[in-house]
Amino acid sequence: MSTAAPRPAGQDQLWSVDEHLEDILATVRPLEPIELQLPDAQGCVLVEDVMVPVSLPPFDNSSMDGYAVRVADVAGASEEFPAALDVVGDVAAGHAADLLYVGPGQAARIMTGAPLPAGAEAVVPVEWTDGGLGEGPVSGMRARSLAPEQASGHVRVYRPAEARAHVRAKGSDVKAGDRALDAGTVLGPPQIALLAAIGRGAVRVRPRPRVVVMSTGSELVQPGEELGSGQIYDSNSFALTAAARDAGAIAYRVGAVADDADTLRSTIEDQLVRADLVVTTGGVSVGAYDVVKEALEHVGDEDEAGSGVDFRKLAMQPGKPQGFGSIGPDHTPLLALPGNPVSSYVSFELFVRPAIRTLMGLEDVHRPTTRAKLVADKALTSPKGRRQFLRATHGGDGTVRPVGGAGSHLVAALAHADSLIVVPEDVESVEPGADVEVVLLG
């Protein structure tokens, strides 16, 4: 939800990258927490610590298929002189062992995960025994050895076992009262597994933001359709939808909207019912057909504080034209990005991704950065007063290499980049071998 209007700007004011991002992050607020069932909580952020109500495992259990024994009864056992034990019963996973007791000279067949019966001190793997068949060492627990009427009623053990051998101790994973997960944890598959293991069927989380992505331009055609004269395929909406999902959002892609302000305005209004954030691409510059700017520049309601979309020029390359504000009765945040593919993607990484991560309630909303040695055939040039972001590949040896040229339309080079080289506003040339800042995208 948007809670504050963007600060007013003169038409010719040049905003810095940091100022624009600061405005966005000061306006976007984390979504309100809700309780979700585990299957629906994947990718969400916990809003409270989760404590362990019951130890894992909740009882001593076997880590092998084999026989539960007393240590003294198998001490010194060998293939030449096996320990012969009477089998008093079977213990399978999920079955209680309360009625079974292993006394001196006795053993109990036991399956992986089954509770250790009283009196037993260790488990010998079935491979260390004759499986109760009297035919020498076996390779596994045979089905016929599990039926008392088909077994001999005793087992020969060919190796000794130390106390607690092949026994998973109660609480060896987590103990009752431990903190299972901290507030702020993003719930991935391992965290979902832990929550289920300790009996939590639902958790309180901030939901994944719903992000609607739409591109604009009458020249855009959907992939799979035939191109006409002057037309290009719409790649931006696919790229940004994928990027939003990668950032943790539930993303909805809307087909390209033609260059008509009324159509765009109504399309956005129709999408607000399922949007926590709206992202548009294209139509934010100063051209005659920059439809996003035309449609949204005066959309604010004078009676609704905090609404409206501000269009700006940023001191960056690529991505100079940007728009940011809110729209609709709930003041849904809207970020308007430029239409060139590289400008659009770089803008997403710098501004939209942090907004999504903020909506999720994460503390660290930025891509990681590092320093690396520039590897290039010649010096890199950068426009004075602009912060430049160059596509690059980051090597594991602490080097970084530019990919492709500086053109904001070069999609092929973008596909091979895994990082961005950052050239500060006050630097116009970077020599090969120089130490540079790198934003890691992967």
Side-chain angles (χ1 to χ4, degrees):
M1 295 287 293
S2 177
T3 59
R7 17 184 199 200
Q11 186 173 0
D12 297 326
Q13 178 177 349
L14 199 61
W15 297 73
S16 72
V17 172
D18 296 335
E19 287 173 333
H20 188 58
L21 180 60
E22 179 185 344
D23 263 5
I24 294 170
L25 297 186
T27 302
V28 175
R29 293 286 183 266
L31 299 176
E32 289 299 315
I34 59 175
E35 186 161 303
L36 291 177
Q37 297 294 310
L38 290 190
D40 301 318
Q42 182 174 352
C44 297
V45 178
L46 276 176
V47 296
E48 59 189 3
D49 294 342
V50 175
M51 309 306 289
V52 178
V54 60
S55 295
L56 290 181
F59 47 81
D60 290 353
N61 70 91
S62 177
S63 65
M64 304 285 287
D65 291 341
Y67 290 83
V69 300
R70 289 172 174 257
V71 172
D73 290 335
V74 296
S78 66
E79 290 198 28
E80 186 177 2
F81 300 105
L85 306 175
D86 293 328
V87 178
V88 295
D90 295 334
V91 190
H95 291 184
D98 298 349
L99 301 180
L100 195 60
Y101 180 82
V102 176
Q106 296 179 334
R109 276 183 294 268
I110 191 167
M111 302 300 109
T112 302
L116 191 71
E121 301 167 328
V123 173
V124 291
V126 67
E127 294 86 356
W128 297 5
T129 77
D130 67 354
L133 302 175
E135 300 173 356
V138 295
S139 59
M141 191 74 83
R142 301 180 186 180
R144 62 189 176 121
S145 72
L146 295 179
E149 68 276 10
Q150 294 178 335
S152 63
H154 61 267
V155 64
R156 288 183 174 86
V157 179
Y158 300 111
R159 292 176 59 177
E162 297 179 355
R164 311 296 292 177
H166 308 295
V167 175
R168 301 168 178 150
K170 175 182 178 179
S172 56
D173 191 351
V174 291
K175 293 180 173 60
D178 287 350
R179 182 185 290 109
L181 296 171
D182 294 326
T185 299
V186 180
L187 298 181
Q191 291 76 33
I192 296 290
L194 176 57
L195 290 167
I198 63 174
R200 287 292 294 264
V203 284
R204 191 165 174 77
V205 297
R206 295 193 192 277
R208 295 168 61 196
R210 300 164 301 163
V211 177
V212 171
V213 176
M214 64 180 71
S215 52
T216 63
S218 299
E219 77 280 11
L220 299 178
V221 175
Q222 297 306 298
E225 299 179 5
E226 186 174 347
L227 286 177
S229 176
Q231 293 182 322
I232 60 174
Y233 287 119
D234 171 20
S235 64
N236 283 3
S237 66
F238 287 91
L240 299 187
T241 301
R245 289 174 181 154
D246 181 70
I250 299 170
Y252 305 103
R253 191 191 70 86
V254 179
V257 181
D259 289 321
D260 179 81
D262 292 336
T263 300
L264 175 62
R265 210 162 24 235
S266 63
T267 301
I268 292 175
E269 289 170 355
D270 289 343
Q271 293 297 320
L272 292 179
V273 67
R274 62 171 181 174
D276 298 307
L277 175 68
V278 176
V279 179
T280 67
T281 171
V284 295
S285 191
V286 292
Y289 297 98
D290 286 324
V291 65
V292 176
K293 191 172 183 180
E294 179 186 351
L296 302 180
E297 194 166 27
H298 304 294
V299 77
D301 186 338
E302 293 180 0
D303 298 326
E304 294 286 350
S307 65
V309 179
D310 182 29
F311 291 88
R312 303 169 170 177
K313 298 175 183 177
L314 269 58
M316 63 179 286
Q317 186 185 59
K320 180 180 178 180
Q322 300 283 337
F324 167 64
S326 66
I327 188 170
D330 295 326
H331 302 299
T332 303
L334 182 144
L335 286 165
L337 311 183
N340 281 320
V342 177
S343 302
S344 174
Y345 182 72
V346 170
S347 299
F348 180 96
E349 288 292 339
L350 296 180
F351 307 123
V352 183
R353 183 183 174 90
I356 290 174
R357 307 291 278 181
T358 299
L359 287 168
M360 293 175 67
L362 291 167
E363 291 186 8
D364 186 4
V365 300
H366 301 288
R367 289 284 199 184
T369 61
T370 188
R371 307 291 300 187
K373 179 181 178 181
L374 176 64
V375 176
D377 297 330
K378 59 182 181 179
L380 304 180
T381 59
S382 185
K384 184 177 181 180
R386 303 285 177 87
R387 187 180 305 180
Q388 189 174 42
F389 297 88
L390 298 169
R391 289 143 291 167
T393 56
H394 180 256
D397 57 353
T399 62
V400 65
R401 185 185 300 271
V403 175
S408 57
H409 65 292
L410 302 175
V411 183
L414 181 62
H416 297 285
D418 61 11
S419 55
L420 297 172
I421 297 172
V422 183
V423 183
E425 291 87 341
D426 58 351
V427 176
E428 296 182 59
S429 179
V430 183
E431 296 294 329
D435 182 62
V436 294
E437 180 184 357
V438 180
V439 178
L440 302 176
L441 301 178

